PDB file of all heavy atoms in Angstrom:
ATOM      1  N   VAL I  94       2.850  10.282  11.995  1.00 97.00           N
ATOM      2  CA  VAL I  94       4.227  10.088  12.272  1.00 97.00           C
ATOM      3  C   VAL I  94       5.092  10.864  11.264  1.00 97.00           C
ATOM      4  O   VAL I  94       4.597  11.311  10.217  1.00 97.00           O
ATOM      5  CB  VAL I  94       4.652   8.625  12.195  1.00 97.00           C
ATOM      6  CG1 VAL I  94       4.083   7.789  13.334  1.00 97.00           C
ATOM      7  CG2 VAL I  94       4.180   8.016  10.838  1.00 97.00           C
ATOM      8  N   PRO I  95       6.382  11.136  11.581  1.00 96.00           N
ATOM      9  CA  PRO I  95       7.296  11.786  10.584  1.00 96.00           C
ATOM     10  C   PRO I  95       7.353  10.930   9.305  1.00 96.00           C
ATOM     11  O   PRO I  95       7.201   9.711   9.321  1.00 96.00           O
ATOM     12  CB  PRO I  95       8.648  11.768  11.334  1.00 96.00           C
ATOM     13  CG  PRO I  95       8.285  11.676  12.769  1.00 96.00           C
ATOM     14  CD  PRO I  95       7.035  10.834  12.856  1.00 96.00           C
ATOM     15  N   LYS I  96       7.633  11.604   8.216  1.00 95.00           N
ATOM     16  CA  LYS I  96       7.650  10.941   6.917  1.00 95.00           C
ATOM     17  C   LYS I  96       8.736   9.883   6.768  1.00 95.00           C
ATOM     18  O   LYS I  96       8.661   9.017   5.894  1.00 95.00           O
ATOM     19  CB  LYS I  96       7.714  11.934   5.777  1.00 95.00           C
ATOM     20  CG  LYS I  96       6.359  12.565   5.453  1.00 95.00           C
ATOM     21  CD  LYS I  96       6.343  13.192   4.120  1.00 95.00           C
ATOM     22  CE  LYS I  96       4.898  13.636   3.744  1.00 95.00           C
ATOM     23  NZ  LYS I  96       4.846  14.306   2.449  1.00 95.00           N
ATOM     24  N   ASP I  97       9.782   9.948   7.575  1.00 94.00           N
ATOM     25  CA  ASP I  97      10.851   8.941   7.502  1.00 94.00           C
ATOM     26  C   ASP I  97      10.511   7.702   8.338  1.00 94.00           C
ATOM     27  O   ASP I  97      11.316   6.768   8.446  1.00 94.00           O
ATOM     28  CB  ASP I  97      12.195   9.519   7.850  1.00 94.00           C
ATOM     29  CG  ASP I  97      12.234  10.000   9.281  1.00 94.00           C
ATOM     30  OD1 ASP I  97      11.182  10.126   9.936  1.00 94.00           O
ATOM     31  OD2 ASP I  97      13.369  10.267   9.804  1.00 94.00           O
ATOM     32  N   TYR I  98       9.339   7.628   8.900  1.00 96.00           N
ATOM     33  CA  TYR I  98       8.863   6.472   9.601  1.00 96.00           C
ATOM     34  C   TYR I  98       8.693   5.285   8.606  1.00 96.00           C
ATOM     35  O   TYR I  98       8.248   5.478   7.464  1.00 96.00           O
ATOM     36  CB  TYR I  98       7.513   6.756  10.236  1.00 96.00           C
ATOM     37  CG  TYR I  98       6.748   5.544  10.770  1.00 96.00           C
ATOM     38  CD1 TYR I  98       6.762   5.250  12.117  1.00 96.00           C
ATOM     39  CD2 TYR I  98       6.049   4.660   9.899  1.00 96.00           C
ATOM     40  CE1 TYR I  98       6.055   4.134  12.659  1.00 96.00           C
ATOM     41  CE2 TYR I  98       5.370   3.565  10.377  1.00 96.00           C
ATOM     42  CZ  TYR I  98       5.413   3.271  11.794  1.00 96.00           C
ATOM     43  OH  TYR I  98       4.730   2.206  12.256  1.00 96.00           O
ATOM     44  N   SER I  99       9.041   4.114   9.031  1.00 94.00           N
ATOM     45  CA  SER I  99       8.738   2.906   8.285  1.00 94.00           C
ATOM     46  C   SER I  99       8.592   1.717   9.285  1.00 94.00           C
ATOM     47  O   SER I  99       8.865   1.931  10.502  1.00 94.00           O
ATOM     48  CB  SER I  99       9.848   2.554   7.340  1.00 94.00           C
ATOM     49  OG  SER I  99      11.033   2.158   7.980  1.00 94.00           O
ATOM     50  N   TYR I 100       8.210   0.586   8.841  1.00 90.00           N
ATOM     51  CA  TYR I 100       8.040  -0.534   9.771  1.00 90.00           C
ATOM     52  C   TYR I 100       9.338  -0.873  10.439  1.00 90.00           C
ATOM     53  O   TYR I 100       9.369  -1.166  11.649  1.00 90.00           O
ATOM     54  CB  TYR I 100       7.530  -1.739   8.966  1.00 90.00           C
ATOM     55  CG  TYR I 100       7.236  -2.951   9.837  1.00 90.00           C
ATOM     56  CD1 TYR I 100       5.995  -3.128  10.469  1.00 90.00           C
ATOM     57  CD2 TYR I 100       8.220  -3.929  10.131  1.00 90.00           C
ATOM     58  CE1 TYR I 100       5.749  -4.203  11.275  1.00 90.00           C
ATOM     59  CE2 TYR I 100       7.969  -4.983  10.941  1.00 90.00           C
ATOM     60  CZ  TYR I 100       6.713  -5.159  11.493  1.00 90.00           C
ATOM     61  OH  TYR I 100       6.503  -6.202  12.338  1.00 90.00           O
ATOM     62  N   ASP I 101      10.453  -0.792   9.670  1.00 89.00           N
ATOM     63  CA  ASP I 101      11.755  -1.134  10.232  1.00 89.00           C
ATOM     64  C   ASP I 101      12.409   0.083  10.891  1.00 89.00           C
ATOM     65  O   ASP I 101      13.494  -0.044  11.530  1.00 89.00           O
ATOM     66  CB  ASP I 101      12.695  -1.683   9.141  1.00 89.00           C
ATOM     67  CG  ASP I 101      12.228  -3.020   8.633  1.00 89.00           C
ATOM     68  OD1 ASP I 101      11.763  -3.853   9.419  1.00 89.00           O
ATOM     69  OD2 ASP I 101      12.284  -3.221   7.414  1.00 89.00           O
ATOM     70  N   ASN I 102      11.817   1.263  10.745  1.00 92.00           N
ATOM     71  CA  ASN I 102      12.343   2.476  11.351  1.00 92.00           C
ATOM     72  C   ASN I 102      11.189   3.176  12.060  1.00 92.00           C
ATOM     73  O   ASN I 102      10.801   4.294  11.682  1.00 92.00           O
ATOM     74  CB  ASN I 102      12.999   3.328  10.283  1.00 92.00           C
ATOM     75  CG  ASN I 102      13.575   4.618  10.863  1.00 92.00           C
ATOM     76  OD1 ASN I 102      14.187   4.585  11.982  1.00 92.00           O
ATOM     77  ND2 ASN I 102      13.422   5.748  10.170  1.00 92.00           N
ATOM     78  N   PRO I 103      10.628   2.540  13.076  1.00 94.00           N
ATOM     79  CA  PRO I 103       9.464   3.170  13.779  1.00 94.00           C
ATOM     80  C   PRO I 103       9.835   4.472  14.502  1.00 94.00           C
ATOM     81  O   PRO I 103      10.960   4.609  14.948  1.00 94.00           O
ATOM     82  CB  PRO I 103       9.035   2.062  14.730  1.00 94.00           C
ATOM     83  CG  PRO I 103      10.243   1.291  15.006  1.00 94.00           C
ATOM     84  CD  PRO I 103      11.039   1.309  13.705  1.00 94.00           C
ATOM     85  N   LYS I 104       8.867   5.326  14.570  1.00 94.00           N
ATOM     86  CA  LYS I 104       9.068   6.613  15.289  1.00 94.00           C
ATOM     87  C   LYS I 104       7.942   6.828  16.272  1.00 94.00           C
ATOM     88  O   LYS I 104       6.856   6.293  16.058  1.00 94.00           O
ATOM     89  CB  LYS I 104       9.076   7.768  14.273  1.00 94.00           C
ATOM     90  CG  LYS I 104      10.119   7.665  13.181  1.00 94.00           C
ATOM     91  CD  LYS I 104      11.470   8.108  13.744  1.00 94.00           C
ATOM     92  CE  LYS I 104      12.546   8.114  12.622  1.00 94.00           C
ATOM     93  NZ  LYS I 104      13.851   8.569  13.103  1.00 94.00           N
ATOM     94  N   LYS I 105       8.211   7.597  17.303  1.00 95.00           N
ATOM     95  CA  LYS I 105       7.186   7.904  18.248  1.00 95.00           C
ATOM     96  C   LYS I 105       6.075   8.696  17.588  1.00 95.00           C
ATOM     97  O   LYS I 105       6.318   9.668  16.832  1.00 95.00           O
ATOM     98  CB  LYS I 105       7.770   8.725  19.395  1.00 95.00           C
ATOM     99  CG  LYS I 105       6.807   9.076  20.524  1.00 95.00           C
ATOM    100  CD  LYS I 105       7.492   9.864  21.607  1.00 95.00           C
ATOM    101  CE  LYS I 105       6.526  10.125  22.774  1.00 95.00           C
ATOM    102  NZ  LYS I 105       5.368  10.900  22.342  1.00 95.00           N
ATOM    103  N   PRO I 106       4.849   8.287  17.775  1.00 97.00           N
ATOM    104  CA  PRO I 106       3.711   9.001  17.116  1.00 97.00           C
ATOM    105  C   PRO I 106       3.623  10.466  17.588  1.00 97.00           C
ATOM    106  O   PRO I 106       3.874  10.783  18.713  1.00 97.00           O
ATOM    107  CB  PRO I 106       2.489   8.214  17.595  1.00 97.00           C
ATOM    108  CG  PRO I 106       3.017   6.856  17.939  1.00 97.00           C
ATOM    109  CD  PRO I 106       4.384   7.116  18.521  1.00 97.00           C
ATOM    110  N   ILE I 107       3.202  11.311  16.659  1.00 97.00           N
ATOM    111  CA  ILE I 107       2.903  12.693  16.929  1.00 97.00           C
ATOM    112  C   ILE I 107       1.485  12.853  17.444  1.00 97.00           C
ATOM    113  O   ILE I 107       1.233  13.630  18.352  1.00 97.00           O
ATOM    114  CB  ILE I 107       3.152  13.563  15.660  1.00 97.00           C
ATOM    115  CG1 ILE I 107       4.611  13.415  15.220  1.00 97.00           C
ATOM    116  CG2 ILE I 107       2.757  15.019  15.888  1.00 97.00           C
ATOM    117  CD1 ILE I 107       4.882  13.998  13.829  1.00 97.00           C
ATOM    118  N   LEU I 108       0.567  12.055  16.887  1.00 98.00           N
ATOM    119  CA  LEU I 108      -0.844  12.082  17.273  1.00 98.00           C
ATOM    120  C   LEU I 108      -1.393  10.680  17.006  1.00 98.00           C
ATOM    121  O   LEU I 108      -1.062  10.057  16.042  1.00 98.00           O
ATOM    122  CB  LEU I 108      -1.588  13.113  16.451  1.00 98.00           C
ATOM    123  CG  LEU I 108      -3.115  13.260  16.714  1.00 98.00           C
ATOM    124  CD1 LEU I 108      -3.352  13.756  18.125  1.00 98.00           C
ATOM    125  CD2 LEU I 108      -3.732  14.200  15.678  1.00 98.00           C
ATOM    126  N   MET I 109      -2.243  10.201  17.951  1.00 98.00           N
ATOM    127  CA  MET I 109      -2.898   8.944  17.805  1.00 98.00           C
ATOM    128  C   MET I 109      -4.402   9.069  17.505  1.00 98.00           C
ATOM    129  O   MET I 109      -5.006  10.033  17.973  1.00 98.00           O
ATOM    130  CB  MET I 109      -2.695   8.160  19.117  1.00 98.00           C
ATOM    131  CG  MET I 109      -1.249   7.779  19.422  1.00 98.00           C
ATOM    132  SD  MET I 109      -1.093   6.882  20.961  1.00 98.00           S
ATOM    133  CE  MET I 109       0.683   6.545  20.979  1.00 98.00           C
ATOM    134  N   VAL I 110      -4.901   8.150  16.814  1.00 98.00           N
ATOM    135  CA  VAL I 110      -6.352   8.107  16.459  1.00 98.00           C
ATOM    136  C   VAL I 110      -6.952   6.737  16.842  1.00 98.00           C
ATOM    137  O   VAL I 110      -6.361   5.712  16.535  1.00 98.00           O
ATOM    138  CB  VAL I 110      -6.526   8.311  14.937  1.00 98.00           C
ATOM    139  CG1 VAL I 110      -8.042   8.327  14.576  1.00 98.00           C
ATOM    140  CG2 VAL I 110      -5.900   9.640  14.516  1.00 98.00           C
ATOM    141  N   GLU I 111      -8.101   6.827  17.518  1.00 97.00           N
ATOM    142  CA  GLU I 111      -8.806   5.604  17.927  1.00 97.00           C
ATOM    143  C   GLU I 111     -10.132   5.572  17.156  1.00 97.00           C
ATOM    144  O   GLU I 111     -10.850   6.585  17.112  1.00 97.00           O
ATOM    145  CB  GLU I 111      -9.105   5.651  19.433  1.00 97.00           C
ATOM    146  CG  GLU I 111      -8.021   5.119  20.293  1.00 97.00           C
ATOM    147  CD  GLU I 111      -7.768   3.637  20.106  1.00 97.00           C
ATOM    148  OE1 GLU I 111      -8.672   2.895  19.691  1.00 97.00           O
ATOM    149  OE2 GLU I 111      -6.595   3.232  20.304  1.00 97.00           O
ATOM    150  N   THR I 112     -10.470   4.435  16.588  1.00 97.00           N
ATOM    151  CA  THR I 112     -11.755   4.229  15.915  1.00 97.00           C
ATOM    152  C   THR I 112     -12.613   3.250  16.719  1.00 97.00           C
ATOM    153  O   THR I 112     -12.024   2.303  17.254  1.00 97.00           O
ATOM    154  CB  THR I 112     -11.601   3.774  14.472  1.00 97.00           C
ATOM    155  OG1 THR I 112     -10.862   2.610  14.423  1.00 97.00           O
ATOM    156  CG2 THR I 112     -10.932   4.859  13.614  1.00 97.00           C
ATOM    157  N   LYS I 113     -13.871   3.461  16.728  1.00 96.00           N
ATOM    158  CA  LYS I 113     -14.817   2.545  17.387  1.00 96.00           C
ATOM    159  C   LYS I 113     -15.928   2.237  16.468  1.00 96.00           C
ATOM    160  O   LYS I 113     -16.426   3.108  15.674  1.00 96.00           O
ATOM    161  CB  LYS I 113     -15.370   3.195  18.658  1.00 96.00           C
ATOM    162  CG  LYS I 113     -14.323   3.649  19.668  1.00 96.00           C
ATOM    163  CD  LYS I 113     -13.473   2.460  20.186  1.00 96.00           C
ATOM    164  CE  LYS I 113     -12.404   2.948  21.143  1.00 96.00           C
ATOM    165  NZ  LYS I 113     -11.482   1.832  21.490  1.00 96.00           N
ATOM    166  N   LEU I 114     -16.407   1.012  16.472  1.00 95.00           N
ATOM    167  CA  LEU I 114     -17.596   0.647  15.668  1.00 95.00           C
ATOM    168  C   LEU I 114     -18.767   1.422  16.175  1.00 95.00           C
ATOM    169  O   LEU I 114     -19.081   1.436  17.368  1.00 95.00           O
ATOM    170  CB  LEU I 114     -17.852  -0.856  15.732  1.00 95.00           C
ATOM    171  CG  LEU I 114     -18.919  -1.400  14.782  1.00 95.00           C
ATOM    172  CD1 LEU I 114     -18.418  -1.315  13.356  1.00 95.00           C
ATOM    173  CD2 LEU I 114     -19.268  -2.816  15.130  1.00 95.00           C
ATOM    174  N   PRO I 115     -19.465   2.125  15.305  1.00 93.00           N
ATOM    175  CA  PRO I 115     -20.617   2.930  15.790  1.00 93.00           C
ATOM    176  C   PRO I 115     -21.764   2.078  16.330  1.00 93.00           C
ATOM    177  O   PRO I 115     -22.031   0.984  15.851  1.00 93.00           O
ATOM    178  CB  PRO I 115     -21.077   3.705  14.527  1.00 93.00           C
ATOM    179  CG  PRO I 115     -20.576   2.903  13.374  1.00 93.00           C
ATOM    180  CD  PRO I 115     -19.299   2.309  13.824  1.00 93.00           C
TER     181      PRO I 115
END
Side-chain angles (χ1 to χ4, degrees):
V94 289
K96 279 198 172 178
D97 62 347
Y98 169 102
S99 69
Y100 184 87
D101 294 320
N102 182 39
K104 300 283 185 177
K105 184 179 182 299
I107 297 168
L108 178 65
M109 296 180 176
V110 180
E111 275 294 333
T112 57
K113 304 299 178 186
L114 188 68

